[in-house]
Amino acid sequence: MRAAASVLEEKQIRVDEPMSAHTSFRIGGPADLFLEPRKDQLPPLLAALKEAKAPLMILGNGSNLLVGDKGIRGAVIHIGNSMNQIRVSEERIEAEAGALLVRVARQAQRAGLSGMESLSGIPGSLGGAIMMNAGAYGGTMADVLASVELLTEGGEIRNYSLEEMDFSYRHSRVRDEGGIVLSAILQLTRGDAGEIDAAMADLTRRRTARQPLEMASAGSAFKRPEGYFAGKLIQDAGLRGYRVGQAQVSEKHCGFVVNLGGASAAEVRQLMEDVRARVKEKFHVDLEPEVRFVGEF
């Protein structure tokens, strides 16, 4: 607490903050400290927490996390509304890590810039999307990134080119080396604003028809196994609608695990373990979770 208070204002610090309020699963116990710094405060805050030897986790929009029922020990740094500026310059967009992808995509559309359409429905922040190289409908973050500004584990602010980010399927150098995404420059192409809007609307209709967007979830529960589709494997294993407590394999799309209301993290984790075991038994395929498990269970 003292380390954070030496850098942040009182209104930027919350104690015992329920993580269920900050994840799309609507699940998770309390974080000891929940911190919401501005971009300029991050380097001294990181240094102060490191000196205090405080455990640390970085949180974006919480759309790909399962937080344990006992919560998170140490500090959670939330990269959100205090770091969400977006600037358009010719065919480039510079955006801070807390900006939601849907906002970035809409700004691009209004400016007549194409490239963000396939990413426009991902319910995450830019920083989180870069960290995991998020993608949908054939497009990924790596397809539109020119450079990324990172605060390294050592406290240095560095700019990395697309090649230096080491992107692959659901992977970037941030996953290997840590650090905090501060901002990024996106390289887009000129297009017709009306056509871009129509493409985004079409993708929204497709998502709404096929995915349980009306329910609390963390999106795709498992990564796509090479040569297969996770949802199809789960369906063919007879697990559509399978439940553990208030956690359920979605009846609308078997690749999603949904919170029916009041599900615990333990129930979701058990359900995912059951799904992995059944798919392994029937098809000899290992499903790897796309959802990140954090905190104490």
Side-chain angles (χ1 to χ4, degrees), residues 27-28 66-70 244-245 247 263-274 293 296-297:
I27 293 171
L66 179 65
V67 178
D69 298 310
K70 296 178 183 178
V244 174
S264 67
E267 289 172 345
V268 172
R269 186 168 69 170
Q270 184 62 57
L271 182 145
M272 292 182 66
E273 289 175 355
D274 292 350
F293 297 80
E296 296 182 353
F297 284 77

CSV table of all heavy atoms in Angstrom, one decimal, residues 27-28 66-70 244-245 247 263-274 293 296-297:
chain,number,residue,atom,x,y,z
A,27,ILE,N,-16.5,-13.4,-12.5
A,27,ILE,CA,-16.1,-14.3,-11.5
A,27,ILE,C,-14.7,-13.8,-10.9
A,27,ILE,O,-13.9,-13.3,-11.7
A,27,ILE,CB,-15.9,-15.7,-12.1
A,27,ILE,CG1,-17.2,-16.3,-12.5
A,27,ILE,CG2,-15.2,-16.7,-11.1
A,27,ILE,CD1,-17.0,-17.6,-13.3
A,28,GLY,N,-14.5,-14.0,-9.6
A,28,GLY,CA,-13.2,-13.7,-9.1
A,28,GLY,C,-13.3,-13.1,-7.7
A,28,GLY,O,-14.1,-12.2,-7.5
A,66,LEU,N,-9.8,-16.1,-16.0
A,66,LEU,CA,-10.5,-16.7,-14.9
A,66,LEU,C,-9.8,-16.4,-13.6
A,66,LEU,O,-8.7,-17.0,-13.5
A,66,LEU,CB,-10.7,-18.2,-15.1
A,66,LEU,CG,-11.5,-18.9,-14.0
A,66,LEU,CD1,-12.9,-18.4,-14.0
A,66,LEU,CD2,-11.4,-20.4,-14.2
A,67,VAL,N,-10.3,-15.6,-12.8
A,67,VAL,CA,-9.7,-15.2,-11.5
A,67,VAL,C,-10.2,-16.2,-10.4
A,67,VAL,O,-11.4,-16.4,-10.3
A,67,VAL,CB,-9.9,-13.8,-11.1
A,67,VAL,CG1,-9.3,-13.4,-9.8
A,67,VAL,CG2,-9.4,-12.8,-12.2
A,68,GLY,N,-9.3,-16.7,-9.6
A,68,GLY,CA,-9.6,-17.7,-8.6
A,68,GLY,C,-10.6,-17.1,-7.5
A,68,GLY,O,-10.6,-15.9,-7.3
A,69,ASP,N,-11.3,-18.0,-6.9
A,69,ASP,CA,-12.3,-17.5,-5.9
A,69,ASP,C,-11.7,-16.8,-4.7
A,69,ASP,O,-12.4,-16.0,-4.0
A,69,ASP,CB,-13.2,-18.7,-5.5
A,69,ASP,CG,-13.9,-19.4,-6.6
A,69,ASP,OD1,-14.6,-18.6,-7.4
A,69,ASP,OD2,-13.8,-20.6,-6.8
A,70,LYS,N,-10.4,-17.1,-4.4
A,70,LYS,CA,-9.8,-16.5,-3.3
A,70,LYS,C,-9.1,-15.2,-3.6
A,70,LYS,O,-8.6,-14.5,-2.8
A,70,LYS,CB,-8.8,-17.4,-2.6
A,70,LYS,CG,-9.4,-18.7,-2.1
A,70,LYS,CD,-8.3,-19.6,-1.5
A,70,LYS,CE,-8.9,-20.9,-1.0
A,70,LYS,NZ,-7.9,-21.9,-0.5
A,244,VAL,N,-21.1,-28.0,-14.7
A,244,VAL,CA,-20.6,-28.2,-13.4
A,244,VAL,C,-21.1,-27.1,-12.5
A,244,VAL,O,-20.6,-25.9,-12.7
A,244,VAL,CB,-19.0,-28.3,-13.3
A,244,VAL,CG1,-18.5,-28.4,-11.9
A,244,VAL,CG2,-18.5,-29.5,-14.1
A,245,GLY,N,-22.0,-27.3,-11.7
A,245,GLY,CA,-22.6,-26.2,-10.9
A,245,GLY,C,-23.3,-25.2,-11.9
A,245,GLY,O,-24.1,-25.6,-12.7
A,247,ALA,N,-21.5,-23.4,-14.1
A,247,ALA,CA,-20.7,-23.3,-15.2
A,247,ALA,C,-21.2,-24.3,-16.3
A,247,ALA,O,-21.5,-25.4,-16.0
A,247,ALA,CB,-19.2,-23.6,-14.9
A,263,ALA,N,-21.6,-18.7,-11.0
A,263,ALA,CA,-20.6,-19.8,-11.1
A,263,ALA,C,-19.3,-19.4,-10.3
A,263,ALA,O,-19.0,-18.2,-10.3
A,263,ALA,CB,-20.3,-20.1,-12.5
A,264,SER,N,-18.7,-20.4,-9.8
A,264,SER,CA,-17.4,-20.1,-9.1
A,264,SER,C,-16.3,-20.4,-10.1
A,264,SER,O,-16.4,-21.1,-11.1
A,264,SER,CB,-17.3,-21.0,-7.9
A,264,SER,OG,-17.2,-22.4,-8.2
A,265,ALA,N,-15.1,-19.9,-9.8
A,265,ALA,CA,-13.9,-20.2,-10.6
A,265,ALA,C,-13.6,-21.7,-10.5
A,265,ALA,O,-13.2,-22.3,-11.5
A,265,ALA,CB,-12.7,-19.4,-10.1
A,266,ALA,N,-13.8,-22.3,-9.3
A,266,ALA,CA,-13.5,-23.7,-9.2
A,266,ALA,C,-14.4,-24.5,-10.1
A,266,ALA,O,-14.0,-25.5,-10.7
A,266,ALA,CB,-13.7,-24.1,-7.7
A,267,GLU,N,-15.7,-24.1,-10.3
A,267,GLU,CA,-16.6,-24.8,-11.1
A,267,GLU,C,-16.2,-24.7,-12.6
A,267,GLU,O,-16.2,-25.7,-13.3
A,267,GLU,CB,-18.0,-24.3,-11.0
A,267,GLU,CG,-18.7,-24.7,-9.6
A,267,GLU,CD,-20.0,-24.0,-9.4
A,267,GLU,OE1,-20.3,-23.0,-10.1
A,267,GLU,OE2,-20.7,-24.4,-8.4
A,268,VAL,N,-15.8,-23.5,-13.0
A,268,VAL,CA,-15.3,-23.3,-14.4
A,268,VAL,C,-14.1,-24.2,-14.7
A,268,VAL,O,-14.0,-24.8,-15.7
A,268,VAL,CB,-15.1,-21.8,-14.7
A,268,VAL,CG1,-14.4,-21.7,-16.1
A,268,VAL,CG2,-16.3,-21.0,-14.6
A,269,ARG,N,-13.1,-24.1,-13.7
A,269,ARG,CA,-11.9,-24.9,-13.9
A,269,ARG,C,-12.2,-26.4,-14.0
A,269,ARG,O,-11.6,-27.1,-14.8
A,269,ARG,CB,-10.9,-24.6,-12.8
A,269,ARG,CG,-9.5,-25.2,-13.1
A,269,ARG,CD,-8.5,-24.7,-12.1
A,269,ARG,NE,-8.7,-25.1,-10.8
A,269,ARG,CZ,-7.8,-25.0,-9.8
A,269,ARG,NH1,-6.6,-24.4,-10.1
A,269,ARG,NH2,-8.0,-25.4,-8.6
A,270,GLN,N,-13.1,-26.9,-13.1
A,270,GLN,CA,-13.4,-28.3,-13.1
A,270,GLN,C,-14.1,-28.7,-14.4
A,270,GLN,O,-13.8,-29.7,-15.0
A,270,GLN,CB,-14.3,-28.6,-12.0
A,270,GLN,CG,-14.6,-30.1,-11.9
A,270,GLN,CD,-13.4,-31.0,-11.6
A,270,GLN,OE1,-12.6,-30.8,-10.7
A,270,GLN,NE2,-13.1,-31.9,-12.5
A,271,LEU,N,-15.0,-27.8,-14.9
A,271,LEU,CA,-15.6,-28.1,-16.2
A,271,LEU,C,-14.6,-28.2,-17.3
A,271,LEU,O,-14.7,-29.1,-18.2
A,271,LEU,CB,-16.7,-27.0,-16.5
A,271,LEU,CG,-17.5,-27.2,-17.8
A,271,LEU,CD1,-18.9,-26.7,-17.6
A,271,LEU,CD2,-16.9,-26.5,-18.9
A,272,MET,N,-13.7,-27.2,-17.4
A,272,MET,CA,-12.7,-27.2,-18.4
A,272,MET,C,-11.8,-28.5,-18.3
A,272,MET,O,-11.4,-29.0,-19.4
A,272,MET,CB,-11.9,-25.9,-18.4
A,272,MET,CG,-12.7,-24.7,-18.8
A,272,MET,SD,-11.8,-23.2,-18.8
A,272,MET,CE,-10.6,-23.5,-20.2
A,273,GLU,N,-11.5,-28.9,-17.1
A,273,GLU,CA,-10.7,-30.1,-17.0
A,273,GLU,C,-11.5,-31.3,-17.5
A,273,GLU,O,-10.9,-32.2,-18.1
A,273,GLU,CB,-10.3,-30.3,-15.5
A,273,GLU,CG,-9.2,-29.3,-15.1
A,273,GLU,CD,-8.9,-29.4,-13.6
A,273,GLU,OE1,-9.6,-30.2,-12.9
A,273,GLU,OE2,-8.0,-28.6,-13.1
A,274,ASP,N,-12.8,-31.4,-17.2
A,274,ASP,CA,-13.6,-32.5,-17.6
A,274,ASP,C,-13.7,-32.5,-19.1
A,274,ASP,O,-13.6,-33.6,-19.8
A,274,ASP,CB,-15.0,-32.3,-17.1
A,274,ASP,CG,-15.1,-32.5,-15.6
A,274,ASP,OD1,-14.1,-33.0,-15.0
A,274,ASP,OD2,-16.2,-32.2,-15.0
A,293,PHE,N,-5.7,-18.6,-16.3
A,293,PHE,CA,-6.0,-18.8,-14.9
A,293,PHE,C,-5.1,-18.0,-14.0
A,293,PHE,O,-3.9,-18.2,-14.1
A,293,PHE,CB,-5.9,-20.3,-14.6
A,293,PHE,CG,-6.8,-21.2,-15.3
A,293,PHE,CD1,-6.5,-21.6,-16.6
A,293,PHE,CD2,-8.0,-21.6,-14.8
A,293,PHE,CE1,-7.4,-22.4,-17.4
A,293,PHE,CE2,-8.9,-22.5,-15.5
A,293,PHE,CZ,-8.6,-22.8,-16.8
A,296,GLU,N,-5.7,-17.1,-6.7
A,296,GLU,CA,-5.7,-18.2,-5.8
A,296,GLU,C,-7.1,-18.9,-5.9
A,296,GLU,O,-8.1,-18.3,-5.8
A,296,GLU,CB,-5.5,-17.8,-4.4
A,296,GLU,CG,-4.1,-17.2,-4.2
A,296,GLU,CD,-3.8,-16.9,-2.7
A,296,GLU,OE1,-4.8,-17.0,-1.9
A,296,GLU,OE2,-2.7,-16.6,-2.4
A,297,PHE,N,-7.1,-20.2,-6.2
A,297,PHE,CA,-8.3,-21.0,-6.4
A,297,PHE,C,-8.6,-21.8,-5.1
A,297,PHE,O,-9.7,-22.3,-5.0
A,297,PHE,CB,-8.1,-22.0,-7.5
A,297,PHE,CG,-8.2,-21.3,-8.9
A,297,PHE,CD1,-7.2,-20.6,-9.4
A,297,PHE,CD2,-9.4,-21.4,-9.6
A,297,PHE,CE1,-7.3,-19.9,-10.6
A,297,PHE,CE2,-9.5,-20.7,-10.8
A,297,PHE,CZ,-8.4,-20.0,-11.4
